[in-house]
Amino acid sequence: MLLLSSIQSRARQAAVWLNRPIVRRIAMIVAAAIFVVGLVLAIRDFPRSISDLRLTPLLLSLLVGVPATMLLLAADFVLQARFAGAKVTFRRALEITLVGNAANMLPLPAGAAVRLAAMKGYGGTFRKGAYSVAAFSALLLGIGLLYSGTWLSFGFDPWSGMVLIGAGSATLVAGCVLFFLFAAEKSARLLAIGLLIKVLQVLVSAVRIQWCFEAIGVPATHGQSAVFVVASMIGTLIWIVPGGIGIREVISAALAPMVGLAPSDGFLSATISRVLMLIAGVPIALVIVWLEARQERRAKLAGKFSITESVKGPMG
């Protein structure tokens, strides 16, 4: 309750500001700056020489995997907003997702506050927004645990895999229950679309992880890479650590021996994945700033044209 109260308090303060165009542009610029700082720190602590990495899988992850992840996160936020009774466009959802990801690297609980503020600003409520974040987080974690557990159970460690499958099933059911209890729009179709997006997020995450292993010269199979999906999900959900930095890497290192890989390789692949997300965040943020500025200029020009025509009147 204390955590929820803290999130709601910050979200109320942010809601007033986030719908102002100038504030939104500043937020995107700040987000880009945060990504740059995080990138510099990640590269500084990188345990290998950058020149040792393989270029093709890096580019695939950066140019295909990361954009796909961002688009899926934005689509997911559109559904989260509908859960809370808010209507958010896909483009606005992409902007909120990017700012929220950058805010996750700030002290607790900035990322959640950004998302709740956006839902409130577009017609939702803080209470519904909080339940929305909880429900969709449970759906993602549940599917991630099921996916990782299935591969772990059939190919590597059956007992550990069954534990993950059990935990994933319980978490997934909890997310569905939260949806039907608290969603403003209790639609089976909305839940089905949400589940599909979550499945796609998990699949894209597994492919990105596999590309990161290939980038460091480790020929990991998709089954091995899929086991590490759970590390990504848990790292994202632990808000107390900014950006989940270190959490994902440590869990990946712990999981690596279960699938026949070295802990250092698991740690390194997670680090590369985080670095690529930081790299992609900068240009995406700057493009959104440019689009916002261009849209505002067009709106001002349209307003001036409208005023001029009304002054001239029908006879010119």
Side-chain angles (χ1 to χ4, degrees), residues 171-210:
T171 306
L172 185 59
V173 169
C176 292
V177 169
L178 284 174
F179 181 90
F180 284 112
L181 284 178
F182 300 109
E185 183 180 341
K186 295 180 177 64
S187 163
R189 180 174 176 271
L190 181 63
L191 177 60
I193 295 173
L195 290 171
L196 176 60
I197 290 175
K198 297 301 185 185
V199 169
L200 292 175
Q201 283 181 264
V202 168
L203 292 175
V204 169
S205 178
V207 172
R208 284 180 52 214
I209 291 169
Q210 186 173 1

Side-chain angles (χ1 to χ4, degrees), residues 45-257:
D45 297 334
F46 196 69
R48 291 190 188 180
S49 171
I50 301 297
S51 60
D52 293 338
L53 301 177
R54 297 183 177 181
L55 184 59
T56 300
L58 276 179
L59 290 178
L60 284 172
S61 185
L62 179 63
L63 301 179
V64 179
V66 174
T69 298
M70 295 300 296
L71 293 175
L72 287 170
L73 286 172
D76 185 64
F77 184 77
V78 172
L79 298 183
Q80 287 188 43
R82 287 178 62 179
F83 179 113
K87 294 183 178 180
V88 180
T89 64
F90 181 80
R91 177 174 159 183
R92 181 68 176 121
L94 182 59
E95 179 182 335
I96 293 165
T97 296
L98 195 65
V99 174
N101 286 350
N104 280 337
M105 302 183 69
L106 300 174
L108 172 81
V114 167
R115 291 173 174 84
L116 286 178
M119 293 181 198
K120 175 66 175 177
Y122 281 86
T125 66
F126 289 121
R127 181 174 176 270
K128 292 286 187 182
Y131 283 126
S132 175
V133 171
F136 278 78
S137 296
L139 294 178
L140 179 61
L141 181 59
I143 292 174
L145 286 167
L146 282 171
Y147 193 69
S148 295
T150 300
W151 281 100
L152 187 61
S153 179
F154 286 100
F156 306 101
D157 187 338
W159 291 108
S160 297
M162 292 305 295
V163 170
L164 292 185
I165 290 174
S169 299
T171 306
L172 185 59
V173 169
C176 292
V177 169
L178 284 174
F179 181 90
F180 284 112
L181 284 178
F182 300 109
E185 183 180 341
K186 295 180 177 64
S187 163
R189 180 174 176 271
L190 181 63
L191 177 60
I193 295 173
L195 290 171
L196 176 60
I197 290 175
K198 297 301 185 185
V199 169
L200 292 175
Q201 283 181 264
V202 168
L203 292 175
V204 169
S205 178
V207 172
R208 284 180 52 214
I209 291 169
Q210 186 173 1
W211 282 335
C212 289
F213 275 118
E214 291 176 2
I216 59 175
V218 177
T221 65
H222 181 80
Q224 287 173 309
S225 304
V227 173
F228 292 90
V229 167
V230 67
S232 176
M233 303 302 165
I234 294 175
T236 301
L237 295 175
I238 297 180
W239 295 343
I240 197 169
V241 179
I245 295 174
I247 301 296
R248 186 179 310 175
E249 287 84 347
V250 169
I251 296 175
S252 295
L255 290 172

Side-chain angles (χ1 to χ4, degrees), residues 30-52:
V30 171
I34 292 173
F35 283 127
V36 169
V37 172
L39 177 61
V40 170
L41 293 175
I43 292 176
R44 186 193 65 180
D45 297 334
F46 196 69
R48 291 190 188 180
S49 171
I50 301 297
S51 60
D52 293 338

